[in-house]
Structure formats: structure tokens, C-alpha cells
């Protein structure tokens, strides 16, 4: 990543998701851009000025591959990330984790227990931790509606921790971001099997 203001490009279909994500990134100091035009991406944006590109789920797979290749031909250090869902806060979390570039401590990554609806985290030292869940409330193309909740925010002691995902969170399209110190993970939450 550059030492200056990180350049970010969000590529997706939903105007509302793009606008909201762009505003959130700009508020956090990123040089943020967004497009729903899947055409000549290097003609639209200077890849040399970008640090992170997030590709949304509505970008066709063949176009994603072409975009990655074209952008990295100009900027080999560019991080290209697959967006997990059209949820602005989640996309911002993915960008921030990529820009931070923190290597996660082995064995410290959170684990989601679907049967217990719980996120389990083992900390080897006391750390500031934030656990946020995001979920789609209405899948209305092209602008899905979503909600979020911060489940934990503050210092946690070393050891094992279990964070229960509230029943109000619909698990058919739900995700979590766990930030522990400078490390960050975003992942999908799933309903219990069967």
C-alpha cells in the first residue's frame, strides 16, 4: 500500500451501495472512487493511483478476470478483493483490512459455530476488539437493504471469548467482521445445518 492517502475503487451494480460505500470511505480519508460501468476499467481510472479494488458479486466472472489482469498490468502491487456482499459497512471493513495489511496471528482467527450462533475468538494477549454483524434485510435488486449491529467494542483479556449472534440477525445473508488489535477478518455467517 502507498504511504499517502490510499486509492480505492469499488466496482459493482447497485447505485445505492456504491454511493454509500464511497461516502463512508471518503469520510475515513480514502481517495475513493466507484463505478457500475464494467467496461474499459483502465480507461476510466488510473490503476497506478489505486491501492485496492473491490469487485462486487454482480460483476460477471469473465469481466472480473479481465479487470484484474488489466489493472495489475498497470499496477502489479494492486490488491484486488472480492466483495462479500452489497453491504456498504462490510465493504469498508474489507478495504480497511486490506489496507492495514496486518498478518493475522496463527490460531487467533475467529471461528463461527453455526449450531450455537456464536463467533469464537482466542486472544493470546489483551486486545481492543470489535465484532460487527451485517445482514441483508431486503434483497431488492439493484439496491439491497441491510442492517448491522456492533456486538463487542472494547478491550478483551487474553483467552477464549464467545460472542453470540442475536436471533434478530437473519442468517440467510449475514456476515461478520472481527477486528482484534490491527488484525481483521470478514466472513459469512451461516444457518445451522438441517
Amino acid at each position: 500500500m502507498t504511504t499517502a492517502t490510499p486509492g480505492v475503487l469499488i466496482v459493482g451494480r447497485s447505485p445505492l451501495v456504491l454511493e454509500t460505500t464511497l461516502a463512508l470511505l471518503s469520510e475515513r480519508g480514502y481517495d475513493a472512487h466507484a463505478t457500475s460501468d464494467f467496461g474499459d476499467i483502465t480507461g476510466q481510472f488510473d490503476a497506478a493511483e489505486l491501492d485496492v479494488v473491490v469487485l462486487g458479486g454482480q460483476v460477471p466472472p469473465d469481466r472480473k478476470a479481465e479487470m484484474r489482469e488489466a489493472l495489475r498490468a498497470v499496477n502489479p502491487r494492486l490488491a484486488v478483493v472480492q466483495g462479500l456482499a452489497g453491504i456498504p459497512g462490510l465493504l469498508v471493513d474489507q478495504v480497511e483490512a486490506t489496507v492495514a495489511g496486518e498478518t493475522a496471528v496463527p490460531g487467533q482467527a475467529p471461528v463461527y459455530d453455526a449450531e450455537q450462533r456464536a463467533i469464537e475468538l482466542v486472544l493470546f494477549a489483551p486486545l481492543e476488539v470489535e465484532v460487527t454483524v451485517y445482514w441483508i434485510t431486503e434483497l431488492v435488486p439493484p439496491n439491497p437493504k441491510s442492517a448491522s449491529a456492533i456486538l463487542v467494542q472494547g478491550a478483551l483479556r487474553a483467552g477464549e471469548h464467545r460472542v453470540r449472534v442475536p436471533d434478530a440477525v437473519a442468517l440467510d445473508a449475514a456476515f461478520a467482521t472481527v477486528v482484534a488489535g490491527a488484525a481483521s477478518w470478514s466472513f459469512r455467517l451461516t444457518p445451522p445445518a438441517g
Side-chain angles (χ1 to χ4, degrees):
M1 301 298 130
T2 62
T3 56
T5 303
V8 178
L9 173 62
I10 308 295
V11 182
R13 177 86 56 208
S14 168
L16 183 59
V17 170
L18 292 174
E19 290 168 19
T20 305
T21 305
L22 184 63
L24 290 170
L25 288 168
S26 296
E27 286 172 10
R28 294 182 187 199
Y30 291 94
D31 180 17
H33 310 274
T35 186
S36 60
D37 181 351
F38 305 158
D40 179 18
I41 203 78
T42 55
Q44 297 176 63
F45 300 95
D46 182 358
E49 298 297 317
L50 297 172
D51 296 289
V52 179
V53 174
V54 179
L55 300 175
Q58 295 297 311
V59 180
D62 58 329
R63 281 301 303 137
K64 285 180 190 176
E66 292 168 8
M67 285 184 204
R68 257 189 218 99
E69 187 176 317
L71 290 163
R72 285 192 175 141
V74 175
N75 183 351
R77 66 176 174 68
L78 181 67
V80 180
V81 176
Q82 174 60 55
L84 289 175
I87 301 174
L90 179 62
L91 295 170
V92 170
D93 286 351
Q94 288 188 264
V95 168
E96 292 199 318
T98 303
V99 169
E102 178 69 22
T103 302
V105 176
Q108 191 166 294
V111 174
Y112 176 63
D113 180 341
E115 297 303 318
Q116 298 297 315
R117 290 183 64 107
I119 299 166
E120 299 170 350
L121 179 65
V122 177
L123 299 177
F124 298 126
L127 286 173
E128 288 293 317
V129 173
E130 184 168 297
V131 178
T132 306
V133 292
Y134 301 92
W135 64 101
I136 300 289
T137 57
E138 289 183 55
L139 195 52
V140 184
N143 294 313
K145 296 180 181 175
S146 61
S148 65
I150 297 173
L151 304 182
V152 172
Q153 187 175 40
L156 293 182
R157 61 174 172 65
E160 296 179 10
H161 301 274
R162 178 179 275 256
V163 179
R164 178 125 172 46
V165 176
D167 291 337
V169 175
L171 295 178
D172 48 337
F175 304 84
T177 296
V178 176
V179 179
S184 178
W185 303 266
S186 292
F187 49 92
R188 180 156 191 170
L189 303 177
T190 57

